[in-house]
């Protein structure tokens, strides 16, 4: 039996004149998400996207991948019928057998957008409902709270039968909300922050700071694996790894211990700003959450913020750790994040970092360390790979 | 003289690439995957690549795969681990009488421990009676363990039904599928089978012996059988058998399920036709069995006698499951075959390397045996 996926668009159906560019982006993202799973025709009509397999495919896998594409409110895996009631009668009992065999209650809902179809929607519901009751006599009809809602859709190009819609990932299509760079270390927070802005349509570039030999290739590999998980939602991501050892060593040698973390984070912002610009990004994203650690107090954030020229998005700023962990479990990054490898943020951490740094004094200390040449050198020597 | 190896459900020839991989992982990339240095890192990459390969063949996440020493250990870990982790939810375990001995004997052990183990009967033809499963599974049932493809006659069980029954009966039961004879031979996807635990093995698909894997669905908790280190999420501690695991991964990469199944199905059909022309021969594998296995009985010469007679002609088959050497097969017993059928059963099992020549050599051997060997 031929199956397709019908995709209902979310917020993007509301976006007025921009609607077409949103729809095109979504079509492109769906194709990209299905890359390697077979051949598909992705078309759009009557604000529904049709994903029609052109080769033998694993529909479970297809639906799993579609469930992670932003911009989709709901989708249904449906059986394709010819546009006559005989064919619907022929296919419905067999296609729905698995779902209905162990269900107790059901109802049939018909949607007829092609008004040339000889039966009206209530007639279709009644006929198909009667037929299913004949095939599955143990069922009873419950129009208010059915266990299974069978939907028969009569559309312009065909008729479709399915057992209700699944919830999509929501949000808006990646790529329609501009480009931003996520600063990613390997902890729990930054992959979640990346996911949250991808959900709002942002195309991501990732910036990672590596400090060999203080941090290992395993830490870098961990970040790659995290980004691979995020890319299931966000599409392909360019990961830029910045060699950060010399800068960290100089800060440690030249600056007051208590200021180490704040100056290090300012350097990360400065470097990210330069790199982000090169890669056409217009904002930075971090996983900071207010009060979580010493460098995430209001005064510390004020100090780091000053080092970035671009706007810095901090989607987790008001969230509790538990809430963040919940999302990281959902996007399957949690288990990777808790692997115990040193990352650039844990190297040389002072015993008592300053929680209320004053920008003026931080800047004096920074000037004394003469970091500009090292920043230029780091930016020069980045390593770029594409994660998909 | 060429050999005619028709015992591929017992084990298979290891592929060149898999063997090469094992050699490289023994002599060059031999570091411990847990070592922090870069050699250890490279070894851990090899380990994770193999895990990714096995996971994607099953449609699973990599983090859901645990490597074990083989199918038997994976079955034991799944069953004992799940039974002990969830005994507070109830004491009932449902399985069938047709399971591999690593499941069957583990179930007998759990019965002794006090679990209420229900052995489902089979219907005529040997498939598990799904209505009996519907009756047996209740709110106290913590585990249902069924084999996907039977190793002796190739019967394929309707394992996808279990999930629906469990949902309908509001049961907390976990589902374990022994897919050792199905993996690499039919397109098994964990989502479609609806299972929580699934066993696969390497040496049935041209990988080395001594390695297998257990799929554990994300969020499902089982207890380990052994203790020691943090490897394999603490469920299977001890330094990983990287050469075997890496070779297993290579073997999975080389799978061509569709092509091989077509090839094997043609041989199976051919052999069925040829056998049906010999007087007295009964075919024990149903028509819809796995094409990789063909079990038949001569009804005249004892299995072992025929097996040795064929081996002398370089035709290698099996008399039942090789794991239960000599002992009367509990599977054939469960199928309640008449004695003359059960005592003379021969199992032929195919791989991609088999040809029509192998079938012809077998037929010739059987005909010769039937005319020269003493009757039972």
């Amino acid at each position: 039996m031929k199956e397709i996926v019908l995709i209902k668009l979310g917020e993007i159906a509301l976006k007025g004149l921009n609607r077409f560019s949103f729809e095109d982006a979504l079509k492109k993202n769906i194709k990209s998400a299905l890359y390697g799973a077979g051949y598909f025709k992705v078309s759009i009509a009557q604000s529904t996207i049709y994903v029609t397999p052109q080769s033998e495919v694993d529909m479970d896998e297809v639906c799993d991948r579609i469930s992670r594409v932003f911009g989709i409110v709901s989708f249904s895996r449906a059986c394709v019928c010819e546009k006559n009631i005989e064919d619907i009668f022929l296919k419905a009992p067999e296609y729905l057998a698995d779902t209905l065999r162990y269900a107790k209650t059901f109802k049939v809902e018909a949607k007829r957008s092609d008004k040339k179809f000889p039966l009206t929607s209530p007639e279709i519901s009644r006929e198909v409902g009667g037929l299913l009751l004949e095939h599955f006599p143990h069922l009873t009809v419950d129009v208010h709270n059915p266990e299974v809602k069978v939907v028969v859709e009569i559309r312009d190009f065909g008729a479709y039968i399915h057992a209700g819609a699944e919830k999509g990932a929501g949000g808006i299509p990646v790529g329609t909300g501009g480009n931003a760079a996520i600063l990613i270390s390997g902890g729990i927070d930054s992959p979640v922050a990346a996911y949250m802005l991808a959900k709002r349509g942002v195309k991501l570039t990732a910036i990672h700071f590596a400090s060999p030999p203080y941090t290992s290739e395993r830490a870098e590999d961990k970040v790659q694996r995290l980004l691979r998980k995020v890319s299931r939602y966000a599409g392909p991501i360019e990961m830029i790894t910045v060699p950060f050892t010399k800068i960290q060593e100089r800060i440690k040698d030249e600056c007051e211990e208590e200021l180490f973390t704040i100056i290090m984070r300012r350097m990360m912002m400065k470097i990210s700003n330069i790199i982000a610009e090169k890669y056409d990004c217009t904002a930075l994203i971090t996983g900071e959450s207010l009060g979580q650690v010493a460098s995430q107090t209001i005064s510390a954030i004020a100090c780091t913020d000053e080092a970035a020229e671009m706007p810095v998005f901090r989607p987790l700023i008001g969230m509790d750790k538990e809430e963040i962990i919940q999302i990281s479990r959902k996007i399957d990054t949690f288990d990777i994040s808790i692997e115990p490898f040193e990352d650039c943020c844990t190297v040389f951490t002072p015993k008592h970092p300053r929680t209320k740094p004053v920008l003026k004094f931080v800047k004096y200390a920074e000037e004394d360390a003469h970091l500009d040449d090292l920043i230029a050198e780091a930016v020069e020597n980045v390593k770029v790979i594409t994660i998909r | 003289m060429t050999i005619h190896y028709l015992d591929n459900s017992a084990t298979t020839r290891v592929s060149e690439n898999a063997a090469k991989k094992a050699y490289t992982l023994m002599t060059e990339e031999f570091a411990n995957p847990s070592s922090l240095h870069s050699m250890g890192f490279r070894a851990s990459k090899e380990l994770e690549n193999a895990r990714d390969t096995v996971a994607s063949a099953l449609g699973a996440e990599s983090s859901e795969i645990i490597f074990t020493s083989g199918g038997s250990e994976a079955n034991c870990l799944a069953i004992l681990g799940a039974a002990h982790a969830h005994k507070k939810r109830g004491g009932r375990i449902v399985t069938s009488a047709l399971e591999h001995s690593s499941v069957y004997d583990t179930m007998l052990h759990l019965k002794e421990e006090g679990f209420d183990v229900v052995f489902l009967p089979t219907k005529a033809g040997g498939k598990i009676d799904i209505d009996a499963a519907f009756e047996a599974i209740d709110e106290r049932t913590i585990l249902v363990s069924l084999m996907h493809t039977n190793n002796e006659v190739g019967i394929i069980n309707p394992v996808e039904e279990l999930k629906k029954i469990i949902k309908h009966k509001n049961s907390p039961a976990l589902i374990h599928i022994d897919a050792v004879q199905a993996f690499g031979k039919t397109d098994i996807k964990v989502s479609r089978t609806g299972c929580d635990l699934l066993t696969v093995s390497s040496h049935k698909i041209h990988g080395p012996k001594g390695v297998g894997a257990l799929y554990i669905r994300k969020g499902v908790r089982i207890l380990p059988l052994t203790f020691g280190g943090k490897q394999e999420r603490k469920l299977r501690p001890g330094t990983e058998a990287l050469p075997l695991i890496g070779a297993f991964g290579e073997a999975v990469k080389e799978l061509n399920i569709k092509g091989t199944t077509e090839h094997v199905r043609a041989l199976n059909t051919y052999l069925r036709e040829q056998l049906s022309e010999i007087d007295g021969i009964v075919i024990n594998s149903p028509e819809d069995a796995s094409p990789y296995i063909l079990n038949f009985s001569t009804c005249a010469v004892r299995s072992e006698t025929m097996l040795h007679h064929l081996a002398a002609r370089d035709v290698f088959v099996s008399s039942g499951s090789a794991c239960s050497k000599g002992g009367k097969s509990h599977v054939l017993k469960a199928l309640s075959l008449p004695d003359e059928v059960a005592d003379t059963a021969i199992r032929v099992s195919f791989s991609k390397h088999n040809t029509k020549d192998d079938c012809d050599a077998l037929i010739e051997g059987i005909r010769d045996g039937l005319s020269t060997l003493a009757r039972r």
Side-chain angles (χ1 to χ4, degrees):
Chain A
M1 226 172 283
K2 218 176 125 197
E3 281 188 289
I4 66 165
V5 183
L6 302 174
I7 294 173
K8 304 283 158 69
L9 310 183
E11 283 176 48
I12 64 172
L14 308 170
K15 299 273 174 188
L17 291 175
N18 284 328
R19 191 172 125 196
F20 297 108
S21 63
F22 277 78
E23 288 175 352
D24 285 343
L26 183 54
K27 262 163 68 177
K28 192 174 128 245
N29 293 349
I30 291 170
K31 279 186 193 160
S32 150
L34 293 173
Y35 180 80
Y39 296 97
F40 302 88
K41 200 179 117 198
V42 180
S43 55
I44 186 157
Q46 298 172 301
S47 50
T48 299
I49 293 182
Y50 294 70
V51 178
T52 317
Q54 306 288 309
S55 61
E56 208 172 295
V57 300
D58 177 350
M59 286 301 276
D60 292 333
E61 163 92 28
V62 170
C63 289
D64 182 51
R65 293 191 186 196
I66 286 176
S67 74
R68 286 191 292 263
V69 177
F70 292 127
I72 296 174
V73 170
S74 71
F75 61 96
S76 317
R77 175 178 173 172
C79 165
V80 185
C81 299
E82 282 167 41
K83 254 168 53 176
N84 58 62
I85 196 75
E86 291 78 21
D87 199 47
I88 295 172
F89 270 22
L90 189 70
K91 287 176 177 155
E94 192 189 333
Y95 184 68
L96 298 165
D98 271 3
T99 322
L100 294 177
R101 192 170 306 141
Y102 298 106
K104 291 186 192 96
T105 58
F106 83 116
K107 81 166 183 182
V108 179
E109 191 180 292
K111 292 178 188 164
R112 186 183 63 147
S113 58
D114 173 13
K115 304 294 180 200
K116 277 183 266 152
F117 195 78
L119 279 75
T120 65
S121 297
E123 281 167 351
I124 300 168
S125 307
R126 203 164 53 234
E127 295 285 326
V128 175
L131 176 84
L132 292 174
L133 275 173
E134 267 173 46
H135 277 83
F136 306 97
H138 69 281
L139 288 176
T140 50
V141 177
D142 179 347
V143 287
H144 300 298
N145 204 3
E147 217 175 295
V148 180
K149 187 171 93 177
V150 173
V151 182
V152 181
E153 299 193 36
I154 313 290
R155 291 172 160 268
D156 284 356
F157 306 111
Y160 309 95
I161 308 166
H162 58 85
E166 282 175 62
K167 210 167 163 250
I172 43 184
V174 170
T176 59
N179 303 338
I182 170 82
L183 279 67
I184 184 162
S185 60
I188 295 168
D189 302 339
S190 38
V192 173
Y195 159 83
M196 287 178 72
L197 282 185
K199 186 170 184 173
R200 297 314 297 164
V202 172
K203 170 119 184 61
L204 302 173
T205 297
I207 301 176
H208 173 66
F209 293 87
S211 300
Y214 304 103
T215 64
S216 72
E217 50 201 325
R218 287 193 193 241
E220 217 177 303
D221 176 68
K222 179 181 168 184
V223 173
Q224 291 180 17
R225 283 181 290 130
L226 285 171
L227 286 173
R228 216 164 286 139
K229 292 285 185 193
V230 175
S231 76
R232 302 198 299 178
Y233 295 90
I237 300 171
E238 297 231 70
M239 170 177 167
I240 294 144
T241 305
V242 184
F244 204 46
T245 316
K246 286 185 188 165
I247 294 173
Q248 283 192 306
E249 283 175 340
R250 171 117 21 121
I251 300 171
K252 187 178 159 55
D253 289 346
E254 303 289 332
C255 305
E256 215 182 319
E257 192 194 342
E258 285 77 14
L259 291 178
F260 176 84
T261 310
I262 190 77
I263 293 175
M264 176 189 79
R265 292 184 79 88
R266 282 177 53 85
M267 291 308 109
M268 287 178 170
M269 285 294 184
K270 273 195 177 163
I271 293 171
S272 298
N273 207 89
I274 299 168
I275 293 172
E277 239 168 56
K278 273 192 181 172
Y279 282 82
D280 282 337
C281 296
T282 46
L284 300 176
I285 310 165
T286 72
E288 287 159 310
S289 156
L290 194 62
Q292 196 179 95
V293 288
S295 62
Q296 297 180 17
T297 60
I298 290 185
S299 352
I301 289 177
C303 280
T304 36
D305 210 61
E306 196 270 347
E309 286 162 30
M310 293 181 182
V312 181
F313 293 139
R314 299 178 175 87
L316 312 186
I317 196 73
M319 286 171 78
D320 286 351
K321 198 75 191 179
E322 259 325 299
E323 295 170 316
I324 299 170
I325 287 175
Q326 226 171 33
I327 301 178
S328 80
R329 283 193 197 275
K330 184 180 122 189
I331 63 173
D332 207 20
T333 54
F334 182 76
D335 288 341
I336 302 174
S337 288
I338 57 172
E339 288 173 12
F341 304 118
E342 285 262 19
D343 65 43
C344 58
C345 297
T346 53
V347 173
F348 309 139
T349 5
K351 276 190 206 73
H352 303 289
R354 187 127 338 139
T355 52
K356 288 183 185 154
V358 177
L359 182 60
K360 190 168 68 179
F361 298 116
V362 172
K363 278 181 136 175
Y364 289 153
E366 207 174 283
E367 275 159 28
D368 287 347
H370 301 291
L371 292 157
D372 288 349
D373 55 326
L374 291 182
I375 291 176
E377 192 188 325
V379 170
E380 195 65 30
N381 291 310
V382 297
K383 196 177 76 189
V384 185
I385 56 167
T386 305
I387 307 279
R388 61 175 78 235
Chain B
M1 193 167 171
T2 49
I3 63 158
H4 304 286
Y5 185 79
L6 287 164
D7 198 13
N8 292 286
S9 288
T11 195
T12 52
R13 189 170 98 199
V14 176
S15 89
E16 296 282 332
N17 281 340
K20 271 184 204 148
K21 187 76 182 182
Y23 185 80
T24 316
L25 291 174
M26 285 179 180
T27 54
E28 289 169 34
E29 292 293 356
F30 58 83
N32 188 323
S34 298
S35 291
L36 281 173
H37 46 66
S38 53
M39 255 188 99
F41 177 61
R42 287 203 300 274
S44 80
K45 273 278 154 199
E46 294 279 356
L47 177 67
E48 295 317 314
N49 283 344
R51 200 187 308 280
D52 291 348
T53 308
V54 174
S56 84
L58 289 170
E61 300 277 333
S62 300
S63 59
E64 296 174 316
I65 301 294
I66 298 280
F67 287 110
T68 67
S69 70
S72 289
E73 186 193 332
N75 278 339
C76 290
L77 176 61
I79 294 167
L80 293 175
H84 290 151
H86 301 292
K87 63 181 168 207
K88 279 191 191 133
R89 292 186 190 166
R92 177 168 278 199
I93 299 174
V94 175
T95 185
S96 87
L98 252 67
E99 299 302 308
H100 183 263
S101 46
S102 59
V103 170
Y104 191 76
D105 292 355
T106 307
M107 290 296 178
L108 293 181
H109 174 79
L110 283 173
K111 201 170 178 173
E112 258 172 47
E113 278 188 24
F115 285 91
D116 170 23
V117 182
V118 179
F119 291 94
L120 297 173
T122 56
K123 291 199 288 200
K127 274 195 205 215
I128 183 77
D129 185 347
I130 207 74
D131 295 330
F134 191 87
E135 287 304 312
I137 294 169
D138 62 10
E139 278 155 32
R140 297 181 307 113
T141 307
I142 53 172
L143 177 69
V144 181
S145 177
L146 267 194
M147 94 195 316
H148 183 286
T149 304
N150 173 273
N151 54 316
E152 295 193 40
V153 278
I155 291 162
I156 296 175
N157 277 315
V159 291
E160 325 73 51
E161 295 294 312
L162 293 174
K163 183 83 212 164
K164 296 171 206 158
I165 294 177
I166 284 170
K167 204 175 148 210
H168 184 70
K169 297 277 276 230
N170 222 345
S171 165
L174 296 176
I175 300 171
H176 168 243
I177 304 295
D178 173 1
V180 167
Q181 296 292 353
F183 179 57
K185 299 175 183 181
T186 171
D187 192 19
I188 287 247
K189 289 281 184 282
V190 286
S191 60
R192 220 176 302 144
T193 59
C195 62
D196 302 289
L197 301 152
L198 182 127
T199 299
V200 298
S201 172
S202 143
H203 74 112
K204 314 286 191 194
I205 56 153
H206 307 284
K209 293 154 195 65
V211 60
L214 179 64
Y215 156 81
I216 307 172
R217 193 166 57 78
K218 204 174 160 65
V220 168
R221 194 174 70 92
I222 65 169
L223 294 178
L225 305 179
T226 46
F227 300 89
K230 290 206 176 98
Q231 294 92 344
E232 304 298 297
R233 289 166 42 205
K234 283 187 169 178
L235 285 169
R236 213 287 179 166
T239 301
E240 302 88 345
L242 189 57
L244 301 179
I245 293 170
F248 181 15
E250 278 314 294
V252 174
K253 267 189 221 159
E254 288 180 355
L255 287 174
N256 166 14
I257 296 180
K258 231 174 146 185
T260 309
T261 304
E262 269 169 39
H263 170 73
V264 160
R265 194 183 295 283
L267 293 178
N268 187 308
T269 310
Y270 176 72
L271 190 57
R272 272 176 193 258
E273 282 165 15
Q274 295 294 308
L275 285 170
S276 65
E277 284 174 16
I278 303 176
D279 273 350
I281 286 197
V282 179
I283 300 210
N284 302 320
S285 300
E287 287 284 339
D288 63 351
S290 164
Y292 288 81
I293 295 175
L294 183 59
N295 191 307
F296 62 91
S297 296
T298 60
C299 295
V301 176
R302 289 179 65 87
S303 304
E304 263 196 74
T305 318
M306 186 57 92
L307 182 151
H308 293 309
H309 165 78
L310 291 171
R313 307 172 64 117
D314 280 332
V315 177
F316 301 98
V317 296
S318 165
S319 59
S321 164
C323 285
S324 54
K325 276 176 202 144
K328 199 164 190 169
S329 146
H330 69 266
V331 172
L332 295 181
K333 225 191 302 179
L335 289 174
S336 55
L337 300 174
D339 276 356
E340 77 268 21
V341 177
D343 288 350
T344 63
I346 296 283
R347 180 190 69 180
V348 168
S349 43
F350 301 102
S351 81
K352 61 180 176 187
H353 298 309
N354 289 124
T355 61
K356 211 162 140 265
D357 273 359
D358 298 326
C359 297
D360 290 335
L362 172 74
I363 291 292
E364 208 184 295
I366 299 261
R367 282 186 188 277
D368 185 66
L370 284 174
S371 61
T372 58
L373 297 170
R375 305 259 150 166
R376 60 185 277 278

